[in-house]
Amino acid sequence: MKKNYLSYSILILSIVLLLVVFTLFSCKKVDPVRPAFTPYYVQHSPSISEQNNTTLLKSDPLVTDTQKESEDDQPVFCYAIYAPKLDLEEVEAQISSFIQQEIASAQLMYNEDAALNLDYTLDVFAHTLGQIKFFGFSCPLSNQKPGDHLIYKAFLYHASSGTVYSFGDIVQEDERETLYQGIDAVVSSQIQTEISSSALSDETLLYALHFTEQGLNFVFPANTFAENQSDELSVLLPYDSISSCISDLFYDLLADYLPARGRQIDPDKPMIALTFDDGPSKYTQFIADLAEQYGGRVTFCVVGNRIDQYRDTLIRVSDAGHEIANHTWEHKKLTSLSYEEAKTQLQKVDDKVYELTGKHLHFIRPTYGSVNDTLKQLSNDLKMPLANWAVDTEDWKSRNADAVYHACMSTVKDGDIVLFHDLYESTYHAIERLIPELTAKGYQLVTLSELVEYSGQSIQYGHIYRDVK
Ligand SMILES: [Zn+2]
């Protein structure tokens, strides 16, 4: 009821305004000397409630400045401009310069009596992002047809600091294409014409953009994309679908609406550590990518003398947050080596990985799962705990994706460490099924270090981890 009343009021007000404008226009026709527009420049201070309302009703001009009487033989130039007064220096300076430019270019455009009309809307999203949108037109007084020289201009700023942002500040530059694709898909289907929003200027995109709680809402004025686009076009891109396109700066500003960037592990939810021995190999990167796609990270227990061949892979997966664990330099059975020999086997891998990634290794994955007192002592001395497994998929033996899949799926439980080898294509195919399904079952895929850390247990050297329950 209240809404109806408001709509009704707006309707009445619009009619009154139209009548006023019409009367002024009519006057012009009667008396060609008098301008159609009452020339004034109004600075308007929006109230807080107005700042949160995109449609402003500006009823009380604070400052009225009338253009000087023109000489009789000079063309009259009239302007009716509304601009907000916000007490934010940077925004106001930019707005003022924009208005001066528009006045100057409109005056240059016409050799006869002419007018410039500018109005604006203002809203503040989430108490942080202010958006001012100017719209208007200039025209000769002899032919007052809005539409020939339309003006659209937006200012986006920080509501407290007044810092002004460009469209480029909002988007992650290398992810722009994703944003364009999102817009193109919706617009193309609405107007039945293939369009390419990448052809639009940043100014146009900024003007169209509205921040909403649901996502970025682009409202493109008529004719933005095609002559036959007679109506506004609205495209809502939900935050979830474009979170990767948002710059770090705006990710912080819009934090309440975006999924947390980076991985969040919930210690109260089930988790498992998938571990891959004997690599790196040509499958390592694929497994890492797949895990990342599902928000997980895994552990690669590498053999040192393979690292040079897969140097880039090792660096990439480590940078992406997967863990590298120590599976000896030459895959020697540690329990048949002396303390010093075993130490050298482990130390060499740690040195190599540290040289490439800047990270030391936290876990020893004993070759063949064999552990003796010497190795426990070494684990203590090197401060690297031992990690075996609760689930052995025996993928090296079966080399069968189905068998590997079932070996894992039938026994795995919360807190388990699962053993695979990233040397086999069959293992990769099993993983292609396992990662989505385990994730769907609610398991968080974590690294060995994360598994121990989030179990709440303190790390124990010399201890053989198989699970954390
Ligand atoms: Zn091995």
Side-chain angles (χ1 to χ4, degrees):
M1 193 60 205
K2 200 178 168 190
K3 202 174 176 183
N4 284 343
Y5 175 71
L6 190 68
S7 315
Y8 192 62
S9 310
I10 290 172
L11 185 69
I12 294 287
L13 199 69
S14 309
I15 291 168
V16 170
L17 279 172
L18 273 171
L19 281 174
V20 169
V21 170
F22 183 74
T23 312
L24 285 172
F25 274 43
S26 311
C27 288
K28 163 73 183 103
K29 280 170 191 155
V30 177
D31 179 1
V33 179
R34 289 181 66 87
F37 292 86
T38 309
Y40 55 79
Y41 183 124
V42 178
Q43 279 210 315
H44 169 255
S45 295
S47 67
I48 294 298
S49 65
E50 283 174 322
Q51 291 194 26
N52 292 313
N53 188 346
T54 46
T55 48
L56 287 176
L57 300 172
K58 297 176 265 305
S59 52
D60 298 314
L62 296 175
V63 184
T64 305
D65 182 15
T66 307
Q67 194 194 26
K68 276 182 208 157
E69 288 294 315
S70 66
E71 302 298 323
D72 285 346
D73 52 346
Q74 290 292 310
V76 174
F77 185 73
C78 321
Y79 51 97
I81 298 169
Y82 281 101
K85 182 150 180 55
L86 297 168
D87 294 322
L88 294 169
E89 215 173 302
E90 191 183 341
V91 193
E92 294 203 343
Q94 290 203 18
I95 288 174
S96 172
S97 133
F98 155 71
I99 288 172
Q100 297 313 320
Q101 274 175 30
E102 288 301 327
I103 291 173
S105 67
Q107 276 177 324
L108 275 177
M109 206 180 306
Y110 305 100
N111 277 322
E112 55 180 314
D113 293 357
L116 170 67
N117 186 5
L118 272 182
D119 204 345
Y120 75 95
T121 61
L122 188 160
D123 73 326
V124 179
F125 179 68
H127 305 288
T128 318
L129 289 170
Q131 282 185 292
I132 298 165
K133 297 189 182 187
F134 282 95
F135 50 93
F137 63 94
S138 65
C139 63
L141 295 189
S142 59
N143 179 21
Q144 296 170 23
K145 208 173 67 191
D148 286 350
H149 293 284
L150 292 176
I151 298 161
Y152 297 108
K153 172 76 179 176
F155 293 92
L156 173 65
Y157 61 95
H158 193 287
S160 322
S161 71
T163 307
V164 178
Y165 303 117
S166 67
F167 188 77
D169 289 331
I170 307 167
V171 290
Q172 194 91 346
E173 207 47 47
D174 53 0
E175 289 284 344
R176 264 182 187 252
E177 208 46 49
T178 314
L179 198 71
Y180 292 142
Q181 283 165 6
I183 295 172
D184 294 354
V186 180
V187 173
S188 298
S189 74
Q190 281 183 27
I191 61 170
Q192 315 284 319
T193 311
E194 284 298 311
I195 59 104
S196 175
S197 53
S198 61
L200 299 178
S201 69
D202 277 12
E203 292 265 290
T204 305
L205 289 164
L206 188 65
Y207 186 83
L209 176 64
H210 299 259
F211 292 94
T212 71
E213 289 186 6
Q214 290 73 39
L216 299 184
N217 185 26
F218 289 88
V219 180
F220 297 102
N223 301 322
T224 303
F225 292 105
E227 292 291 324
N228 64 354
Q229 181 213 326
S230 51
D231 297 321
E232 274 187 353
L233 286 173
S234 175
V235 178
L236 177 71
L237 301 178
Y239 288 121
D240 279 354
S241 71
I242 43 111
S243 59
S244 66
C245 310
I246 308 287
S247 68
D248 290 345
L249 172 70
F250 272 72
Y251 221 94
D252 290 342
L253 294 173
L254 297 167
D256 290 349
Y257 303 93
L258 289 159
R261 193 168 263 186
R263 215 156 53 98
Q264 300 236 309
I265 297 167
D266 184 344
D268 297 326
K269 290 190 178 148
M271 56 184 81
I272 48 179
L274 306 184
T275 63
F276 299 87
D277 284 13
D278 298 357
S281 81
K282 61 179 175 181
Y283 301 112
T284 306
Q285 185 68 55
F286 291 112
I287 293 168
D289 289 347
L290 193 67
E292 285 164 47
Q293 208 181 316
Y294 286 85
R297 296 295 184 275
V298 300
T299 303
F300 297 102
C301 310
V302 302
V303 175
N305 63 10
R306 296 180 61 90
I307 291 174
D308 271 338
Q309 195 188 341
Y310 295 100
R311 191 177 173 277
D312 291 347
T313 300
L314 184 102
I315 294 169
R316 287 222 301 275
V317 300
S318 171
D319 282 352
H322 301 280
E323 183 164 3
I324 311 295
N326 199 329
H327 200 42
T328 76
W329 186 256
E330 292 162 297
H331 208 272
K332 289 234 166 121
K333 192 169 188 180
L334 291 169
T335 48
S336 53
L337 300 179
S338 71
Y339 178 94
E340 279 308 322
E341 285 168 334
K343 188 179 175 185
T344 306
Q345 281 289 318
L346 296 167
Q347 196 63 58
K348 270 183 87 171
V349 185
D350 188 56
D351 290 348
K352 182 78 185 177
V353 173
Y354 184 75
E355 177 197 318
L356 294 179
T357 67
K359 296 176 198 167
H360 286 292
L361 303 181
H362 298 304
F363 282 85
I364 297 167
R365 163 58 52 83
T367 34
Y368 312 97
S370 309
V371 179
N372 59 9
D373 287 345
T374 309
L375 185 53
K376 283 183 182 172
Q377 185 60 48
L378 202 48
S379 163
N380 258 313
D381 297 347
L382 293 174
K383 299 212 177 318
M384 283 185 196
L386 302 160
N388 275 343
W389 50 85
V391 179
D392 184 354
T393 60
E394 299 199 315
D395 56 342
W396 59 275
K397 206 196 276 178
S398 74
R399 310 277 179 101
N400 177 302
D402 262 356
V404 176
Y405 168 84
H406 288 295
C408 175
M409 224 48 187
S410 60
T411 48
V412 75
K413 61 183 191 311
D414 183 20
D416 278 355
I417 298 171
V418 188
L419 172 66
F420 302 90
H421 297 78
D422 50 340
L423 294 180
Y424 312 113
E425 193 179 343
S426 48
T427 297
Y428 173 64
H429 289 311
I431 282 296
E432 272 185 310
R433 291 170 64 190
L434 284 167
I435 286 182
E437 287 188 36
L438 290 168
T439 309
K441 275 176 168 276
Y443 287 115
Q444 303 173 92
L445 305 181
V446 298
T447 64
L448 288 173
S449 289
E450 289 166 345
L451 187 74
V452 176
E453 182 190 339
Y454 287 93
S455 71
Q457 301 171 12
S458 56
I459 200 125
Q460 298 173 62
Y461 307 110
H463 174 71
I464 307 169
Y465 287 95
R466 294 188 176 85
D467 57 48
V468 290
K469 294 291 157 180

